[in-house]
Amino acid sequence: MNVRVGLGFDLHRLEPGRPCILGGIELPHPTGPLGHSDGDAVLHALSDALLGAAGLDDLGTLFSDKDPRWKGADSATLLTECLARVHAAGWHVVNADLVIATEGPRIAPHRAAMRARIASLLHVTPDAVNVKGKTLEGLGALAHGAGVAVQAVCLIGKS
Ligand code: MG
């Protein structure tokens, strides 16, 4: 099988009064990612990994944060559009792996739901999606709940 790997990264500030949407689900938390769209840094990093693997530009080029059409956009819709482009190029997703670094919402209680949601969006089974939460050990500008950073890798294949 012909395979390719892509890497994605994203980070957002966490601010009071924003819904805490990460990995396509809403977490119960008093702060949420600030962004032009819903701010879902998990789906943004994953979208970039997916596009990167297929050699299809990046999320910011396809869905500019200057474009009013994407204000408040559901990032699941953006990921679905990216996946459609990847499928149209003849690729399918093999697996994805994600690290979510934050001292905002706790990730561990929501991992299973996040994996299931992401797997459904990528048209794969949940065992093909892994999600890991990491704290920042109180270090750096994102610590103490100030933000969320996400790394994603995605493998795609073509028969
Ligand atoms: Mg983003």
Side-chain angles (χ1 to χ4, degrees):
M1 187 169 68
N2 188 7
V3 293
R4 289 189 186 175
V5 67
L7 172 68
F9 174 79
D10 196 27
L11 78 173
H12 283 253
R13 292 175 191 274
L14 292 171
E15 298 221 332
R18 293 276 299 180
C20 193
I21 297 170
L22 288 170
I25 62 172
E26 185 164 350
L27 310 185
H29 193 70
T31 64
L34 186 66
H36 183 67
S37 66
D38 62 13
D40 190 335
V42 177
L43 296 192
H44 294 176
L46 180 58
S47 296
D48 266 347
L50 189 58
L51 293 170
L56 291 170
D57 248 323
D58 66 21
L59 193 65
T61 304
L62 296 179
F63 305 102
S64 168
D65 64 4
K66 307 286 184 285
D67 188 331
R69 278 182 299 167
W70 314 123
K71 185 166 171 53
D74 179 350
S75 296
T77 304
L78 306 185
L79 175 61
T80 297
E81 176 58 32
C82 293
L83 184 67
R85 290 170 191 240
V86 169
H87 283 165
W91 299 99
H92 66 272
V93 174
V94 177
N95 79 302
D97 192 17
L98 295 132
V99 177
I100 306 171
T102 187
E103 290 175 358
R106 287 200 60 228
I107 301 304
H110 308 288
R111 284 177 61 194
M114 227 180 259
R115 290 178 72 178
R117 171 72 166 142
I118 293 169
S120 153
L121 289 168
L122 293 179
H123 302 179
V124 297
T125 52
D127 67 295
V129 177
N130 201 34
V131 172
K132 300 176 293 288
K134 295 291 284 182
T135 72
L136 296 150
E137 302 294 341
L139 296 170
L142 297 177
H144 311 299
V148 54
V150 183
Q151 290 179 311
V153 289
C154 186
L155 191 75
I156 59 174
K158 191 185 274 192
S159 299

